[in-house]
Amino acid sequence: MSNYLTIDVGGTNIKYALMNENAEITDKAEVPTPMEGIEKYVDTLVDIYNTYAGQVEAVCMSAPGKIDAHTGYFYTGGALKYIHETDLAGLLKDRIPVPFCAENDAKAAALAELWKGSMRGVRNGTVITLGTGIGGAVIIDGKLYRGSTFAAGEYSCISSRLDKPYSTGMNWASQNGVGNLVNLYAAKIGKDPSELNGRILFGKANSGDEDAINAIREYCMGIATGILSLQTIIDVEKVAIGGGISKQPLLMEKLQEQLHAMYDPISDYLPMSLPEVVSCTFGNDANMIGALYHYLYEIR
């Protein structure tokens, strides 16, 4: 069975794994994401490949940014500004002598769910990943929809105020990034947000702390409002919530409560239906699994 090198570039670390074509992992590790510039970035990717040189059929990568999934060209690179407008596949061509492909990280996560997870068998759905921002991906007729310029599903950028000029300060990410959940809790208990984190918050909430529970409830109100707004446009059968906090049962419980509290009283007057909302199946390996799917079923 063939092996593949899968890589997931994050803002802090680059994770990588050796996988077979069934997405079974035989080795994995991570290194810090270089911040110095594109040369160090390329060198790091080459060093990772050299660890498995001669053992892999291809290199399959996920990364933040607006990426041409067919050519490996990066129009943007998220927080890694040095990779904006860069032909990464071209830079690697002479140094990594096997096929290379790249896909946006949120879209890769959706491909993993479509292949072996919560979106398996779903015709129309969407994946919403909760993190520093709000990543997303749209599935139409059982396939990932990337849009005309590979930017479909960039949910972070949705405006939360239609009565004001567009501003990044009022987009969905600024309102419902995970950091805002911590901020809500900090404000309730009069602490500096820097003294708290998600683990502390959910620990308190799971122990019955009402302030923590109310912070989660308020946070979920924004997520539920976004889901219902998206549903009027894409009319999907299922929504899968990803990101680390999606594994918290309390978050999903409060999200379901907020969805029904908003939808049920006016459902008779709305043209849309309430989609099934579930947690994503995969955790930290999702992006690498999706990158492998992208190569095996869309590139090769």
Side-chain angles (χ1 to χ4, degrees):
M1 188 175 288
S2 298
N3 288 316
Y4 303 86
L5 173 58
T6 59
I7 298 174
D8 177 31
V9 178
T12 303
N13 294 308
I14 297 177
K15 296 179 292 186
Y16 58 94
L18 191 65
M19 290 187 189
N20 62 26
E21 58 199 46
N22 292 324
E24 296 166 336
I25 297 173
T26 55
D27 191 33
K28 64 190 300 186
E30 62 182 47
V31 295
T33 301
M35 299 299 170
E36 298 89 333
I38 189 64
E39 294 82 7
K40 180 63 175 176
Y41 183 80
V42 169
D43 287 345
T44 299
L45 296 177
V46 172
D47 288 344
I48 292 171
Y49 167 76
N50 287 337
T51 303
Y52 305 102
Q55 302 178 53
V56 298
E57 299 292 323
V59 176
C60 320
M61 190 172 92
S62 81
K66 180 178 169 181
I67 304 167
D68 186 326
H70 305 300
T71 67
Y73 184 89
F74 281 63
Y75 292 97
T76 66
L80 302 179
K81 305 298 184 185
Y82 58 70
I83 201 173
H84 283 24
E85 299 184 348
T86 297
D87 179 11
L88 183 62
L91 293 177
L92 294 171
K93 185 177 181 180
D94 293 332
R95 301 184 64 186
I96 295 181
V98 295
F100 169 86
C101 67
E103 176 60 283
N104 167 268
D105 48 9
K107 292 178 176 61
L111 287 173
E113 296 297 323
L114 187 64
W115 185 18
K116 292 177 176 290
S118 63
M119 287 292 165
R120 191 170 184 177
V122 169
R123 182 179 179 189
N124 299 315
T126 186
V127 173
I128 300 173
T129 57
L130 305 177
T132 303
I134 300 179
V138 182
I139 295 164
I140 298 176
D141 289 335
K143 296 181 180 180
L144 176 66
Y145 174 69
R146 293 182 173 86
S148 301
T149 63
F150 306 99
E154 292 293 337
Y155 294 153
S156 278
C157 303
I158 295 173
S159 179
S160 64
R161 294 289 300 272
L162 298 184
D163 60 334
K164 300 286 184 181
Y166 186 87
S167 166
T168 56
M170 292 186 289
N171 65 21
W172 200 14
S174 68
Q175 300 298 310
N176 270 116
V178 172
N180 274 33
L181 173 54
V182 174
N183 291 341
L184 284 170
Y185 181 48
K188 289 181 181 300
I189 63 175
K191 281 197 172 184
D192 188 318
S194 65
E195 300 175 26
L196 303 168
N197 57 40
R199 185 176 291 112
I200 293 172
L201 188 156
F202 278 100
K204 292 287 188 180
N206 289 323
S207 297
D209 185 300
E210 285 298 325
D211 288 324
I213 292 170
N214 286 331
I216 294 169
R217 183 179 290 115
E218 289 178 31
Y219 175 79
C220 286
M221 180 178 66
I223 300 300
T225 301
I227 289 173
L228 292 176
S229 298
L230 287 172
Q231 185 68 346
T232 66
I233 302 169
I234 54 179
D235 188 25
V236 297
E237 61 199 85
K238 183 181 279 190
V239 176
I241 306 296
I245 66 170
S246 70
K247 297 303 182 184
Q248 291 284 345
L250 186 59
L251 179 103
M252 298 304 295
E253 175 190 323
K254 297 306 175 187
L255 177 56
Q256 295 286 358
E257 288 179 4
Q258 291 295 316
L259 282 166
H260 284 283
M262 294 178 193
Y263 178 81
D264 292 350
I266 56 175
S267 60
D268 291 343
Y269 310 102
L270 297 175
M272 64 181 178
S273 59
L274 190 66
E276 181 183 4
V277 180
V278 300
S279 295
C280 285
T281 301
F282 297 106
N284 291 331
D285 298 330
N287 296 356
M288 293 186 289
I289 292 170
L292 176 61
Y293 176 95
H294 173 52
Y295 174 74
L296 291 177
Y297 297 100
E298 299 181 328
I299 297 294
R300 187 172 64 172

